[in-house]
Amino acid sequence: MKKNYTYAFLTVFIWATMAASAKLLLSDIPNLQALSVSSVFSFLFLLLMNLKTKALREVKKYSVKDYSTMAGLGFLGLFLYNALYYYGLDELGAQDACILNYLWPIMLVIFSAIILKEKLTFIKWIAMLCSFVGIIILSVGSGKAADGNTYLGMLCCVIAAACYGLFSVLNVKTNYNPNISMMVMWLTVAICAAVLGVFTEVWVPITGVQWLGMIWLGVVVV
């Protein structure tokens, strides 16, 4: 039991570093560049894991349609989600963006009811209501100037949460090896972010410390 609590604590601690780490990186590195590079490390980490566990042998059993499905899910739930979330982080404080981002469990419940036909119980309605009230309090009482970028950042975080909630529900309906599918998804993110970033951003050299941050984000998010 103590071991389980230890793992849970470590998981919460590691995830808690992500918003602050990403915010620091995005202050010097364009959003899509950071997303593309960190996604390459996510892909490489999963590739090494699959090589070690010999799960890579399963690559041949999936069809072009399967890989298209994996890529589509990766585009929706990882590329769009992270691209929008990174923009929100860039425009808001790390705490505000992170809290708004955690609307995704609510979106998960809503999409589960719509797509998977799961019943919305009274307790679920109360929980969602409390969460939405908290988001309203955060948005109104953040003390920030009401400029367009602030509200656009909030909107992007909310849309990002919706993308991830929908992705989570659609992913339940698939039956792929999770390590293989996530490897394909992160490769999709790296490619999409790189292609879009080339046309919309001016990429900058990455320093030694920033490389460590990229590796951290890439591995932890997996």
Side-chain angles (χ1 to χ4, degrees), residues 31-93:
N31 295 359
L32 293 173
Q33 180 184 4
L35 178 57
S36 180
V37 174
S38 63
S39 297
V40 169
F41 286 115
S42 298
F43 166 74
L44 292 175
F45 178 74
L46 286 167
L47 177 62
L48 291 174
M49 280 186 59
N50 288 327
L51 284 171
K52 183 178 180 181
T53 61
K54 299 181 180 180
L56 210 58
R57 296 175 181 175
E58 298 183 33
V59 167
K60 295 181 181 179
K61 80 175 189 180
Y62 297 120
S63 65
V64 173
K65 182 180 179 181
D66 291 326
Y67 284 114
S68 298
T69 300
M70 294 179 199
L73 287 171
F75 180 83
L76 170 68
L78 297 181
F79 172 66
L80 287 181
Y81 163 71
N82 280 290
L84 291 166
Y85 178 48
Y86 277 20
Y87 181 84
L89 270 174
D90 206 23
E91 299 298 328
L92 305 170

Side-chain angles (χ1 to χ4, degrees), residues 47-210:
L47 177 62
L48 291 174
M49 280 186 59
N50 288 327
L51 284 171
K52 183 178 180 181
T53 61
K54 299 181 180 180
L56 210 58
R57 296 175 181 175
E58 298 183 33
V59 167
K60 295 181 181 179
K61 80 175 189 180
Y62 297 120
S63 65
V64 173
K65 182 180 179 181
D66 291 326
Y67 284 114
S68 298
T69 300
M70 294 179 199
L73 287 171
F75 180 83
L76 170 68
L78 297 181
F79 172 66
L80 287 181
Y81 163 71
N82 280 290
L84 291 166
Y85 178 48
Y86 277 20
Y87 181 84
L89 270 174
D90 206 23
E91 299 298 328
L92 305 170
Q95 293 179 353
D96 291 349
C98 187
I99 293 173
L100 283 167
N101 175 59
Y102 270 89
L103 273 172
W104 73 261
I106 299 176
M107 302 298 182
L108 173 60
V109 173
I110 293 172
F111 286 123
S112 293
I114 296 172
I115 298 173
L116 302 179
K117 308 302 180 182
E118 293 185 2
K119 186 177 180 180
L120 280 176
T121 64
F122 178 74
I123 296 298
K124 289 180 180 179
W125 278 111
I126 294 298
M128 288 192 295
L129 178 61
C130 290
S131 298
F132 277 122
V133 170
I135 294 302
I136 292 172
I137 293 173
L138 167 67
S139 303
V140 175
S142 63
K144 296 194 172 191
D147 55 52
N149 286 341
T150 297
Y151 287 123
L152 184 57
M154 290 179 175
L155 178 62
C156 284
C157 286
V158 173
I159 297 175
C163 288
Y164 196 78
L166 179 58
F167 159 76
S168 299
V169 172
L170 294 177
N171 203 32
V172 169
K173 301 183 73 174
T174 64
N175 191 30
Y176 305 131
N177 182 316
N179 287 332
I180 296 294
S181 62
M182 290 301 292
M183 183 180 72
V184 174
M185 289 178 195
W186 282 114
L187 179 60
T188 302
V189 177
I191 294 172
C192 290
V195 171
L196 184 58
V198 166
F199 293 102
T200 61
E201 298 176 339
V202 177
W203 286 21
V204 300
I206 300 176
T207 65
V209 175
Q210 290 171 337

